[in-house]
Amino acid sequence: MASSENNNVTITEKIYTRVRLATKSDLSHIYQLFYQIHEYHNYTHLYKATESSLANLLFKENPLPLFYGPSVLLLEVSPTPFNEPKNTTDEGFKPVLKTFDLKFPVVEGQVEEFRSKYDDKSDAYIAGYAFFYANYSCFYDKPGFYFESLYFRESYRKLGMGSLLFGTVASIAANNGFVSVEGIVAVWNKKSYDFYINMGVEIFDEFRYGKLHGENLQKYADNKDKNGEGSC
């Protein structure tokens, strides 16, 4: 069920979801969601992306094979059922559908800002995303997934949708020959930490995350000899 008031849509009893691969028509939504996760972590001052730069990152004219390059899965919600997908889409991934029973009403307060542009279903809204890409390690002879981030807009948290979205990424990995799904788990965020533990993620306390970036990285930009070759 759903009711509309003051440009808000209130969903009650059941909420229908669809997980699908993002397309270029989703750029504005991806840009907003990426900004929101920076906002959640108080890192908006570090957000340098534009819709144009994201298009170049995510939707290249000559892309890598499916799931090897940067990939975004979007989770859409609706007060009415999605059509059952008959086959894989043109993007090469068959959308995943699931219905959730609601214990309390969910309010979509940004109807126009997050209305899906994917097809002609006018009551579908973008709720969250998963961002991942292939990575490589000398420990394995096959690639895995680096799981960069999982994010839901505030209205759609604590509904069980995170398990659906992360589980879909894990299923893609398991069914396509990837050997792992790995990423950073914030130890300060207990709910997030417990979520990944419950999803089967193993935490390696003996390793720490390191990052060379900013000015420290740029110091190496001028590390050239007279012939333009590296000094190593």
Side-chain angles (χ1 to χ4, degrees):
M1 288 182 61
S3 60
S4 299
E5 185 177 354
N6 298 326
N7 200 34
N8 294 339
V9 172
T10 300
I11 305 173
T12 59
E13 298 182 9
K14 292 183 182 295
I15 189 167
Y16 301 89
T17 66
R18 175 172 64 185
V19 177
R20 63 172 177 82
L21 196 63
T23 69
K24 199 168 184 177
S25 66
D26 299 305
L27 265 175
S28 63
H29 294 140
I30 295 171
Y31 175 82
Q32 291 180 75
L33 291 170
F34 281 12
Y35 180 85
Q36 286 187 9
I37 193 171
H38 280 73
E39 195 172 40
Y40 177 81
H41 290 288
N42 295 316
Y43 284 158
T44 53
H45 61 289
L46 299 177
Y47 191 54
K48 308 299 183 184
T50 64
E51 288 190 27
S52 177
S53 68
L54 288 177
N56 187 55
L57 174 70
L58 300 172
F59 306 110
K60 294 180 181 295
E61 291 185 6
N62 297 301
L64 293 170
L66 186 63
F67 302 126
Y68 279 79
S71 303
V72 175
L73 290 181
L74 294 175
L75 189 147
E76 299 170 307
V77 299
S78 176
T80 60
F82 289 91
N83 291 329
E84 187 70 33
K86 296 180 180 178
N87 300 297
T88 58
T89 64
D90 292 341
E91 296 80 47
F93 173 73
K94 184 177 180 179
V96 177
L97 306 185
K98 185 173 181 178
T99 304
F100 290 85
D101 293 321
L102 294 176
K103 296 179 180 179
F104 50 84
V106 171
V107 177
E108 171 54 70
Q110 295 179 286
V111 170
E112 297 306 324
E113 293 91 333
F114 284 97
R115 190 189 303 276
S116 176
K117 302 175 183 177
Y118 181 66
D119 52 24
D120 58 1
K121 185 172 174 56
S122 62
D123 62 348
Y125 310 100
I126 307 295
Y129 77 86
F131 180 31
F132 61 99
Y133 47 86
N135 72 343
Y136 300 85
S137 169
C138 62
F139 290 100
Y140 303 109
D141 60 350
K142 295 180 180 179
F145 279 162
Y146 183 80
F147 190 78
E148 201 279 337
S149 54
L150 175 75
Y151 178 78
F152 281 91
R153 294 168 53 219
E154 189 170 2
S155 295
Y156 302 105
R157 297 170 192 166
K158 302 178 183 179
L159 298 175
M161 296 179 184
S163 298
L164 171 61
L165 197 45
F166 182 83
T168 301
V169 175
S171 177
I172 292 170
N175 290 325
N176 289 277
F178 293 89
V179 296
S180 64
V181 179
E182 60 185 82
I184 298 171
V185 178
V187 295
W188 57 267
N189 189 335
K190 188 177 187 307
K191 289 182 180 179
S192 175
Y193 187 92
D194 290 345
F195 166 79
Y196 287 111
I197 294 294
N198 291 334
M199 293 299 294
V201 173
E202 183 178 0
I203 306 298
F204 295 92
D205 291 330
E206 62 268 34
F207 295 100
R208 288 184 178 270
Y209 173 66
K211 185 176 183 179
L212 179 66
H213 67 120
E215 292 182 1
N216 287 336
L217 175 61
Q218 291 307 310
K219 291 176 182 177
Y220 291 87
D222 296 324
N223 192 16
K224 309 280 186 180
D225 64 20
K226 292 181 180 180
N227 295 321
E229 301 293 336
S231 59
C232 296

